PDB file of all heavy atoms in Angstrom:
ATOM      1  N   TRP A 517      30.722 -80.856 -59.677  1.00  0.00           N
ATOM      2  CA  TRP A 517      31.646 -80.397 -60.730  1.00  0.00           C
ATOM      3  C   TRP A 517      32.976 -81.109 -60.564  1.00  0.00           C
ATOM      4  O   TRP A 517      33.433 -81.508 -59.546  1.00  0.00           O
ATOM      5  CB  TRP A 517      31.824 -78.889 -60.679  1.00  0.00           C
ATOM      6  CG  TRP A 517      32.514 -78.327 -59.490  1.00  0.00           C
ATOM      7  CD1 TRP A 517      31.995 -77.907 -58.318  1.00  0.00           C
ATOM      8  CD2 TRP A 517      34.008 -78.191 -59.340  1.00  0.00           C
ATOM      9  NE1 TRP A 517      32.931 -77.468 -57.473  1.00  0.00           N
ATOM     10  CE2 TRP A 517      34.167 -77.683 -58.050  1.00  0.00           C
ATOM     11  CE3 TRP A 517      35.057 -78.457 -60.122  1.00  0.00           C
ATOM     12  CZ2 TRP A 517      35.446 -77.347 -57.554  1.00  0.00           C
ATOM     13  CZ3 TRP A 517      36.332 -78.104 -59.578  1.00  0.00           C
ATOM     14  CH2 TRP A 517      36.571 -77.657 -58.333  1.00  0.00           C
ATOM     15  N   GLN A 518      33.571 -81.317 -61.773  1.00  0.00           N
ATOM     16  CA  GLN A 518      34.920 -82.014 -61.860  1.00  0.00           C
ATOM     17  C   GLN A 518      35.711 -81.245 -62.848  1.00  0.00           C
ATOM     18  O   GLN A 518      35.415 -80.937 -63.963  1.00  0.00           O
ATOM     19  CB  GLN A 518      34.627 -83.463 -62.406  1.00  0.00           C
ATOM     20  CG  GLN A 518      35.962 -84.275 -62.530  1.00  0.00           C
ATOM     21  CD  GLN A 518      35.692 -85.638 -63.004  1.00  0.00           C
ATOM     22  OE1 GLN A 518      34.456 -86.004 -63.213  1.00  0.00           O
ATOM     23  NE2 GLN A 518      36.719 -86.441 -63.210  1.00  0.00           N
ATOM     24  N   HIS A 519      36.982 -80.937 -62.381  1.00  0.00           N
ATOM     25  CA  HIS A 519      37.976 -80.189 -63.210  1.00  0.00           C
ATOM     26  C   HIS A 519      38.732 -81.292 -64.049  1.00  0.00           C
ATOM     27  O   HIS A 519      39.082 -82.362 -63.520  1.00  0.00           O
ATOM     28  CB  HIS A 519      38.897 -79.462 -62.420  1.00  0.00           C
ATOM     29  CG  HIS A 519      39.937 -78.772 -63.095  1.00  0.00           C
ATOM     30  ND1 HIS A 519      39.851 -77.486 -63.713  1.00  0.00           N
ATOM     31  CD2 HIS A 519      41.243 -79.163 -63.513  1.00  0.00           C
ATOM     32  CE1 HIS A 519      40.968 -77.145 -64.320  1.00  0.00           C
ATOM     33  NE2 HIS A 519      41.838 -78.141 -64.137  1.00  0.00           N
ATOM     34  N   GLU A 625      28.948 -78.531 -55.733  1.00  0.00           N
ATOM     35  CA  GLU A 625      29.958 -79.183 -54.861  1.00  0.00           C
ATOM     36  C   GLU A 625      30.991 -79.884 -55.709  1.00  0.00           C
ATOM     37  O   GLU A 625      30.661 -80.517 -56.704  1.00  0.00           O
ATOM     38  CB  GLU A 625      29.319 -80.126 -53.843  1.00  0.00           C
ATOM     39  CG  GLU A 625      28.295 -79.449 -52.998  1.00  0.00           C
ATOM     40  CD  GLU A 625      27.589 -80.488 -52.128  1.00  0.00           C
ATOM     41  OE1 GLU A 625      28.081 -81.694 -52.030  1.00  0.00           O
ATOM     42  OE2 GLU A 625      26.539 -80.128 -51.499  1.00  0.00           O
ATOM     43  N   PRO A 626      32.269 -79.926 -55.292  1.00  0.00           N
ATOM     44  CA  PRO A 626      33.299 -80.696 -56.051  1.00  0.00           C
ATOM     45  C   PRO A 626      33.118 -82.139 -55.915  1.00  0.00           C
ATOM     46  O   PRO A 626      32.997 -82.647 -54.800  1.00  0.00           O
ATOM     47  CB  PRO A 626      34.586 -80.256 -55.362  1.00  0.00           C
ATOM     48  CG  PRO A 626      34.233 -79.730 -53.966  1.00  0.00           C
ATOM     49  CD  PRO A 626      32.820 -79.205 -54.144  1.00  0.00           C
ATOM     50  N   VAL A 627      33.046 -82.940 -56.975  1.00  0.00           N
ATOM     51  CA  VAL A 627      32.692 -84.311 -56.923  1.00  0.00           C
ATOM     52  C   VAL A 627      33.818 -85.127 -56.249  1.00  0.00           C
ATOM     53  O   VAL A 627      33.549 -86.118 -55.539  1.00  0.00           O
ATOM     54  CB  VAL A 627      32.447 -84.880 -58.359  1.00  0.00           C
ATOM     55  CG1 VAL A 627      33.683 -84.938 -59.179  1.00  0.00           C
ATOM     56  CG2 VAL A 627      31.811 -86.248 -58.240  1.00  0.00           C
ATOM     57  N   THR A 628      35.048 -84.678 -56.389  1.00  0.00           N
ATOM     58  CA  THR A 628      36.208 -85.428 -55.837  1.00  0.00           C
ATOM     59  C   THR A 628      36.225 -85.335 -54.295  1.00  0.00           C
ATOM     60  O   THR A 628      37.003 -86.083 -53.614  1.00  0.00           O
ATOM     61  CB  THR A 628      37.523 -85.002 -56.459  1.00  0.00           C
ATOM     62  OG1 THR A 628      37.645 -83.586 -56.188  1.00  0.00           O
ATOM     63  CG2 THR A 628      37.613 -85.179 -57.946  1.00  0.00           C
ATOM     64  N   GLU A 629      35.439 -84.501 -53.678  1.00  0.00           N
ATOM     65  CA  GLU A 629      35.475 -84.308 -52.221  1.00  0.00           C
ATOM     66  C   GLU A 629      34.280 -85.025 -51.595  1.00  0.00           C
ATOM     67  O   GLU A 629      33.990 -84.842 -50.376  1.00  0.00           O
ATOM     68  CB  GLU A 629      35.498 -82.857 -51.806  1.00  0.00           C
ATOM     69  CG  GLU A 629      36.797 -82.135 -52.300  1.00  0.00           C
ATOM     70  CD  GLU A 629      36.817 -80.761 -51.868  1.00  0.00           C
ATOM     71  OE1 GLU A 629      35.942 -80.311 -51.008  1.00  0.00           O
ATOM     72  OE2 GLU A 629      37.756 -79.998 -52.349  1.00  0.00           O
ATOM     73  N   GLN A 630      33.437 -85.683 -52.368  1.00  0.00           N
ATOM     74  CA  GLN A 630      32.257 -86.322 -51.911  1.00  0.00           C
ATOM     75  C   GLN A 630      32.678 -87.635 -51.153  1.00  0.00           C
ATOM     76  O   GLN A 630      33.615 -88.333 -51.659  1.00  0.00           O
ATOM     77  CB  GLN A 630      31.224 -86.643 -52.956  1.00  0.00           C
ATOM     78  CG  GLN A 630      30.794 -85.362 -53.671  1.00  0.00           C
ATOM     79  CD  GLN A 630      30.410 -84.290 -52.724  1.00  0.00           C
ATOM     80  OE1 GLN A 630      29.599 -84.439 -51.866  1.00  0.00           O
ATOM     81  NE2 GLN A 630      31.000 -83.130 -52.935  1.00  0.00           N
ATOM     82  N   PRO A 631      32.075 -88.048 -50.111  1.00  0.00           N
ATOM     83  CA  PRO A 631      32.516 -89.261 -49.404  1.00  0.00           C
ATOM     84  C   PRO A 631      32.286 -90.479 -50.191  1.00  0.00           C
ATOM     85  O   PRO A 631      33.094 -91.506 -50.031  1.00  0.00           O
ATOM     86  CB  PRO A 631      31.519 -89.236 -48.203  1.00  0.00           C
ATOM     87  CG  PRO A 631      30.379 -88.349 -48.476  1.00  0.00           C
ATOM     88  CD  PRO A 631      30.958 -87.367 -49.367  1.00  0.00           C
ATOM     89  N   TRP A 633      32.844 -90.605 -53.425  1.00  0.00           N
ATOM     90  CA  TRP A 633      33.843 -90.619 -54.615  1.00  0.00           C
ATOM     91  C   TRP A 633      34.785 -91.780 -54.518  1.00  0.00           C
ATOM     92  O   TRP A 633      35.384 -91.926 -53.486  1.00  0.00           O
ATOM     93  CB  TRP A 633      34.536 -89.249 -54.674  1.00  0.00           C
ATOM     94  CG  TRP A 633      35.660 -89.223 -55.673  1.00  0.00           C
ATOM     95  CD1 TRP A 633      36.994 -89.334 -55.471  1.00  0.00           C
ATOM     96  CD2 TRP A 633      35.491 -89.078 -57.113  1.00  0.00           C
ATOM     97  NE1 TRP A 633      37.694 -89.150 -56.649  1.00  0.00           N
ATOM     98  CE2 TRP A 633      36.807 -89.044 -57.641  1.00  0.00           C
ATOM     99  CE3 TRP A 633      34.447 -88.911 -57.967  1.00  0.00           C
ATOM    100  CZ2 TRP A 633      37.051 -88.857 -59.031  1.00  0.00           C
ATOM    101  CZ3 TRP A 633      34.683 -88.718 -59.292  1.00  0.00           C
ATOM    102  CH2 TRP A 633      35.990 -88.700 -59.863  1.00  0.00           C
TER     103      TRP A 633
END
Side-chain angles (χ1 to χ4, degrees):
W517 65 269
Q518 180 181 358
H519 177 88
E625 302 177 11
V627 70
T628 57
E629 296 181 14
Q630 302 312 304
W633 171 257

